[in-house]
Amino acid sequence: MIPNKMITNIEKGGVMIKTFISLLLILFFSNIAEGQWIKNGLVVFDTITNKTYSLPQIAGDASGTGAYICWADIRNFPYENIYAQRIDSSGKIYWQRNGVLLCHASGGRDWPQIISDGDGGFITAWEDYRNPNSTDIYSQKVDINGKLLWGDSAVGLSNKYPGLFVKIASDGDGGAFYTWIYYGAHDYMVLAQKVNKLGKREWGDAGIIVAGPSEKVIYNHDAVISVDGNGGAVITWAESGDIYSQRFDKKGKRLWGEKGVLISTNNDKSQIFVYTIFDGINNTYVTWVNYDGILHLQKITNEGLLLWKSDKIDSMPYTGGGGARRLISDKEGGIFLGVGRSIQHIDSSGKKLWGDHGAYYIDSTAEVTNSQMVNDGDGGVINVSQATIGYPQVVAQKIDKYGKASWGKKGKPLTDNPEMHNFPQIVSDGNGGGIVTWGSKNIGFAVLALRITNDGILTRVSEPNANREGDLQLKNYPNPFNPETTILYTIPKKGLVEIKIYDLQGKEVICLEKTIQEGGEHKTRWDGRTNAAVKASSGMYFYQIVFDNKVLTKKMILIH
């Protein structure tokens, strides 16, 4: 409510109302710059009409604390198209509302994949329908400002072989490796391509045939790719009942023979859900599920040697949903392996560290699927999954380094909004937590995002770095204010605290605190007066806390 005195001033002329509006606009855009997560998720893309989107994908940004999110939506009916958005650890959205369009060619495209490009931006690849007679694979590189680096029409991976189910991995030099599956009338092939940072195809205009043509079935999604740590890539695929891997150097030369290395054979019985990851040293982990629902894991050196005699992970059957492709590095040569409702920590020798059954991230009362996880930086993981607990929702769980679930038997829901929430993805926030994105549907569709800290705190509780230093915290309310505001601050231990107010020229207005105080939460008030007890003029001010050689500064607006 505007005070009567202010209304009187406004009625006297237009200067006062212009000043008031200008100050509110300054505060509004200042808050946008600082960023703010909100309850139930920040809206990355939304539409109130009944239009569809493909599940969102996420990759870390150059700082290691923010993220790029991409998705496909059908806002321009009847075609889907690929869009992306950049968001930082404070919840600041950088690009235009509802994202940047990544390809301006005719036709539609969907099912994007995304990776960080090592240059500060990202690379994405998708299935493309500009050719009405085939589904082709295209890719785009985008810089930190949302600029398209590989042209408005993006780069096609092959001038000969269409395909589906593209997977992507960084080449370590600003470009990417790709693999996809070609489905002919009576045969199948696994294809590969490398595109350099300038958008040039390096493994021929058609790409490389990794496997095939063959009448043996190559299952959906079961051609995957990972880096080899030496500038090349390892491609693994399921071919009927067999699992194969092939390593390529950066020039596209086969390093494991013409056919590759046979990882496992199962006499034409299905082996599916293949996934791989480089161990950070000299080896690749390969995991899959066979026809009887048992998870298998093998380790192969860069020389193509299988290290383990047995690849069966006992006591970890693939049951209860949860998603099979959950395999991340523990940063020490081992892995975290997720299957069903459990997650297992396996060291470099193949030893299970979290018991025979792994650590359960959710109890058996919830129907769970579409899980993903990130390393928490302290020997554990943060897992997110789509769980039906009354309604489909996104649930997070932290498994600590001892294999203990930290956030209860059912985990921590990221929303309390009874909509349909699905397909969560997570990337590290660089501080032991994660930035999560997911799809949501109520009267329309939306892509949402939220940050969860290492201790399970959601939304705004973790301030941007500019306003928080360790356990030193600072904020005020109300803002704007008239005639006074309360400043809340937290210090981590006993020590000398200084709190001062400065004007826009950097001149001290008043010193509110300069005393030794106990660690914990405190508050002080500013009544809008200077050190000389004179009323300060209306406008923007900075309030600052100095403690233990750390300085935090924030903005406030005084309105008389």
Side-chain angles (χ1 to χ4, degrees):
M1 181 176 180
I2 301 176
N4 290 334
K5 183 178 179 181
M6 184 178 293
I7 294 174
T8 301
N9 288 333
I10 291 173
E11 289 173 347
K12 289 180 179 179
V15 175
M16 197 67 185
I17 189 168
K18 289 179 181 178
T19 302
F20 175 74
I21 292 173
S22 297
L23 290 173
L24 287 180
L25 288 173
I26 291 172
L27 180 65
F28 176 75
F29 286 109
S30 297
N31 284 341
I32 289 178
E34 292 178 357
Q36 177 180 327
W37 298 108
I38 62 174
K39 184 179 180 181
N40 291 321
L42 197 64
V43 176
V44 179
F45 157 74
D46 71 280
T47 174
I48 62 172
T49 59
N50 189 26
K51 297 178 181 179
T52 62
Y53 63 91
S54 294
L55 60 153
Q57 301 289 303
I58 192 167
D61 69 2
S63 71
T65 62
Y68 295 105
I69 299 170
C70 74
W71 67 94
D73 69 62
I74 199 166
R75 68 185 74 174
N76 297 316
F77 185 83
Y79 297 116
E80 284 187 291
N81 223 319
I82 311 293
Y83 298 84
Q85 185 59 266
R86 179 185 168 206
I87 189 168
D88 70 14
S89 61
S90 71
K92 176 184 175 181
I93 289 180
Y94 281 79
W95 300 338
Q96 66 196 49
R97 182 176 182 270
N98 285 334
V100 172
L101 178 64
L102 301 190
C103 182
H104 296 268
S106 61
R109 48 204 54 87
D110 62 7
W111 303 112
Q113 303 291 304
I114 186 172
I115 58 168
S116 301
D117 66 359
D119 287 339
F122 68 91
I123 296 174
T124 182
W126 60 79
E127 297 174 11
D128 194 285
Y129 312 121
R130 68 187 70 183
N131 183 344
N133 299 315
S134 65
T135 299
D136 299 304
I137 306 298
Y138 275 75
S139 185
Q140 180 65 272
K141 181 179 169 80
V142 183
D143 72 9
I144 196 170
N145 298 311
K147 181 181 178 180
L148 308 185
L149 300 180
W150 288 350
D152 286 348
S153 297
V155 173
L157 299 192
S158 176
N159 63 1
K160 185 175 181 180
Y161 300 113
L164 302 169
F165 308 117
V166 62
K167 301 296 188 296
I168 183 171
S170 172
D171 72 352
D173 192 31
F177 298 106
Y178 309 81
T179 189
W180 68 98
I181 303 173
Y182 167 81
Y183 293 91
H186 304 287
D187 59 358
Y188 303 82
M189 286 190 291
V190 177
L191 282 303
Q193 181 62 274
K194 180 178 185 287
V195 177
N196 68 21
K197 65 188 303 179
L198 300 179
K200 180 182 178 181
R201 296 184 294 229
E202 293 202 340
W203 288 357
D205 286 337
I208 292 174
I209 298 175
V210 179
S214 172
E215 294 183 358
K216 290 187 175 182
V217 176
I218 298 172
Y219 296 104
N220 295 354
H221 298 287
D222 280 334
V224 296
I225 192 166
S226 57
V227 299
D228 69 356
N230 286 282
V234 175
I235 297 174
T236 306
W237 65 99
E239 190 175 311
S240 292
D242 301 329
I243 307 291
Y244 288 93
S245 284
Q246 178 63 270
R247 182 181 169 211
F248 293 89
D249 68 11
K250 62 182 180 181
K251 294 184 178 180
K253 179 183 177 181
R254 299 172 190 266
L255 299 179
W256 291 346
E258 186 62 27
K259 178 65 177 178
V261 174
L262 178 62
I263 304 293
S264 175
T265 186
N266 207 25
N267 299 320
D268 290 328
K269 294 181 179 178
S270 64
Q271 297 190 118
I272 57 175
F273 299 135
V274 176
Y275 199 66
T276 62
I277 190 170
F278 179 61
D279 73 349
I281 303 174
N282 190 52
N283 312 288
T284 297
Y285 288 99
V286 182
T287 183
W288 67 95
V289 177
N290 72 0
Y291 73 99
D292 57 6
I294 299 298
L295 182 70
H296 291 249
L297 177 70
Q298 183 57 267
K299 189 175 182 181
I300 184 169
T301 70
N302 270 354
E303 292 70 41
L305 302 176
L306 304 184
L307 291 181
W308 296 336
K309 292 181 180 180
S310 174
D311 53 43
K312 183 177 179 181
I313 304 298
D314 294 324
S315 304
M316 286 192 70
Y318 176 61
T319 58
R325 289 184 176 85
R326 288 181 289 146
L327 182 65
I328 64 172
S329 171
D330 69 357
K331 310 296 184 183
E332 296 180 352
I335 55 167
F336 296 105
L337 175 61
V339 60
R341 300 175 185 276
S342 66
I343 298 169
Q344 182 61 267
H345 188 186
I346 298 175
D347 70 13
S348 59
S349 69
K351 180 181 178 181
K352 293 185 291 186
L353 302 181
W354 287 349
D356 285 340
H357 300 281
Y360 288 93
Y361 61 88
I362 197 166
D363 67 20
S364 60
T365 62
E367 180 183 344
V368 61
T369 187
N370 296 322
S371 294
Q372 298 290 328
M373 59 185 173
V374 292
N375 194 310
D376 74 352
D378 190 33
V381 299
I382 293 178
N383 185 88
V384 293
S385 56
Q386 176 183 332
T388 302
I389 307 174
Y391 57 90
Q393 56 185 291
V394 176
V395 175
Q397 179 65 269
K398 178 183 174 180
I399 306 295
D400 68 18
K401 59 184 176 182
Y402 304 108
K404 179 182 178 182
S406 301
W407 298 337
K409 293 182 178 180
K410 293 185 182 295
K412 181 181 288 291
L414 300 193
T415 73
D416 58 13
N417 189 346
E419 300 179 358
M420 182 180 74
H421 303 281
N422 50 27
F423 303 116
Q425 300 283 310
I426 185 170
V427 69
S428 173
D429 69 354
N431 197 32
I435 297 175
V436 186
T437 187
W438 69 94
S440 180
K441 181 183 183 298
N442 190 357
I443 58 174
F445 290 89
V447 173
L448 305 177
L450 190 64
R451 182 183 177 195
I452 183 165
T453 66
N454 183 265
D455 51 4
I457 298 174
L458 303 175
T459 66
R460 289 197 62 204
V461 182
S462 180
E463 292 284 349
N465 291 336
N467 303 315
R468 178 172 181 159
E469 180 82 32
D471 290 325
L472 188 63
Q473 299 179 52
L474 181 69
K475 61 183 178 181
N476 79 302
Y477 71 91
N479 192 15
F481 66 95
N482 177 28
E484 71 173 23
T485 186
T486 298
I487 297 173
L488 304 175
Y489 58 98
T490 300
I491 56 176
K493 60 183 179 180
K494 184 177 180 179
L496 177 64
V497 178
E498 291 187 17
I499 296 182
K500 295 182 179 182
I501 309 295
Y502 295 89
D503 64 19
L504 289 176
Q505 285 71 46
K507 296 179 180 179
E508 180 180 318
V509 176
I510 189 170
C511 177
L512 298 177
E513 301 285 342
K514 191 174 183 179
T515 59
I516 294 176
Q517 300 179 10
E518 298 293 330
E521 296 180 355
H522 302 270
K523 64 182 178 181
T524 188
R525 288 183 174 85
W526 184 39
D527 61 3
R529 296 179 180 272
T530 68
N531 279 325
V534 176
K535 283 186 176 181
S537 59
S538 296
M540 179 178 289
Y541 293 86
F542 299 98
Y543 61 108
Q544 182 181 91
I545 182 171
V546 179
F547 178 84
D548 195 26
N549 294 319
K550 298 181 177 69
V551 179
L552 297 182
T553 305
K554 296 190 74 173
K555 308 179 189 76
M556 62 170 70
I557 290 180
L558 169 62
I559 300 175
H560 288 308

